[in-house]
């Protein structure tokens, strides 16, 4: 039973399109995250939600909009996709904002053509 | 200056030898330190956490922390081909009034264990 699951695993799309990535965790955690890993393997935080409240919002273009309908779900919607958005996006969760991130989702590999 | 720095490698290690990975961080209020292992095409997995100065051992892994030098390292003893992966150092800042203590990652060190 997967702790943090995200869909889709692969996303190939054209520039200018809008796409969404979904994440769900069954660990009962109250904090969820989106990380972006670029081609150089650098893993950088984008957003974090605690109890459905946005608590970390890094300098991410406002084309990226996270949404947390409840504590177990965190989705990421991306408008007007650009070539530079191509990366692997990982979802993660922890218990509390000070909690350890033990589990990441399997990742969504986004390729913008 | 990058907040968490690692040598990107690749670090080539003969099977059975000790792999030594280093990580430095810039923020003195960093509170918690982690090592994640990431196999190619997979997600990071937590292998070690360390919170106070000194050594912490878990199986073949030893994490070492020196807060005065802002330095954390990972030793892998008796390296196996299955240890070939990228190892990510991560540092968590102490929460403050303007920070929720986010986790900052280094770019990772690629380790290749050769039979």
């Amino acid at each position: 039973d997967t702790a943090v699951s995200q869909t889709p695993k692969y996303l190939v799309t054209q520039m200018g399109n809008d796409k969404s990535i979904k994440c769900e965790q069954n660990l009962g955690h109250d904090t969820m995250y989106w990380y972006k890993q670029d081609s150089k393997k650098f893993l950088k935080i984008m957003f974090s939600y605690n109890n459905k409240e946005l608590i970390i919002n890094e300098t991410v273009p406002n084309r990226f909009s996270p949404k947390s309908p409840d504590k177990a779900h965190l989705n990421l919607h991306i408008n007007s996709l650009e070539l530079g958005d191509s990366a692997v996006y990982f979802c993660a969760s922890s218990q509390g904002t000070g909690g350890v991130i033990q589990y990441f989702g399997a990742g969504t590999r986004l390729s913008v053509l | 200056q990058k907040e968490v720095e690692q040598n990107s490698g690749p670090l080539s290690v003969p099977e059975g030898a000790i792999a030594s990975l280093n990580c430095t961080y810039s923020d003195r209020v960093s509170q918690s330190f982690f090592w994640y292992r990431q196999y190619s095409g997979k997600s990071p997995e937590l292998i070690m956490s360390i919170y106070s100065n000194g050594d912490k051992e878990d199986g073949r892994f030893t994490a070492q922390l020196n807060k005065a030098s802002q330095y954390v390292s990972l030793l892998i003893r008796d390296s196996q081909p299955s240890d070939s992966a990228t190892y990510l150092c991560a540092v968590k800042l102490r929460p403050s009034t303007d920070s929720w203590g986010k986790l900052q990652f280094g770019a990772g060190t690629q380790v290749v264990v050769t039979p």
Side-chain angles (χ1 to χ4, degrees):
Chain A
D1 196 18
T2 305
V4 182
S5 58
Q6 54 182 109
T7 55
K9 191 165 172 62
Y10 300 97
L11 200 46
V12 181
T13 189
Q14 300 286 331
M15 274 175 52
N17 284 350
D18 304 338
K19 290 293 177 187
S20 292
I21 308 172
K22 295 187 174 184
C23 179
E24 176 181 3
Q25 52 93 6
N26 62 6
L27 297 163
H29 288 166
D30 60 3
T31 306
M32 296 184 72
Y33 310 82
W34 279 114
Y35 278 85
K36 177 181 179 181
Q37 189 170 46
D38 60 26
S39 56
K40 292 188 190 307
K41 299 292 189 186
F42 188 53
L43 196 61
K44 188 168 170 56
I45 190 166
M46 301 173 69
F47 302 105
S48 177
Y49 272 76
N50 173 254
N51 282 317
K52 301 193 296 175
E53 179 189 347
L54 180 66
I55 58 169
I56 294 176
N57 184 351
E58 290 295 282
T59 47
V60 177
N62 58 15
R63 299 182 294 104
F64 290 78
S65 51
K67 278 193 173 49
S68 181
D70 56 57
K71 288 194 304 184
H73 296 84
L74 179 61
N75 304 322
L76 183 65
H77 187 76
I78 315 169
N79 289 325
S80 304
L81 278 155
E82 299 179 356
L83 294 176
D85 298 332
S86 296
V88 181
Y89 293 83
F90 288 103
C91 177
S93 71
S94 68
Q95 183 52 39
T97 56
V100 177
I101 295 179
Q102 190 167 1
Y103 299 106
F104 283 82
T108 296
R109 184 173 294 275
L110 172 64
S111 297
V112 182
L113 307 178
Chain B
Q1 181 188 3
K2 288 182 186 168
E3 292 165 330
V4 182
E5 294 213 44
Q6 297 180 252
N7 188 328
S8 62
L11 177 66
S12 184
V13 180
E15 185 173 355
I18 296 174
S20 178
L21 290 74
N22 303 319
C23 172
T24 57
Y25 58 94
S26 60
D27 200 316
R28 287 197 168 272
V29 298
S30 299
Q31 187 177 38
S32 314
F33 308 86
F34 308 92
W35 285 98
Y36 290 80
R37 177 177 62 198
Q38 186 175 24
Y39 291 113
S40 181
K42 302 293 185 184
S43 57
E45 56 179 318
L46 180 66
I47 55 171
M48 287 290 283
S49 58
I50 186 165
Y51 303 95
S52 54
N53 283 329
D55 294 2
K56 180 181 177 183
E57 189 174 315
D58 184 359
R60 294 186 296 109
F61 298 104
T62 299
Q64 300 172 318
L65 174 62
N66 184 327
K67 290 188 179 179
S69 301
Q70 296 175 235
Y71 175 93
V72 58
S73 65
L74 180 70
L75 300 177
I76 309 173
R77 289 184 302 281
D78 188 24
S79 295
Q80 302 296 309
S82 59
D83 295 325
S84 297
T86 296
Y87 289 80
L88 305 172
C89 173
V91 173
K92 195 169 181 77
L93 300 178
R94 190 193 313 268
S96 64
T97 52
D98 59 356
S99 168
W100 283 90
K102 61 188 177 187
L103 193 62
Q104 305 268 32
F105 283 85
T109 297
Q110 185 186 2
V111 172
V112 179
V113 180
T114 53

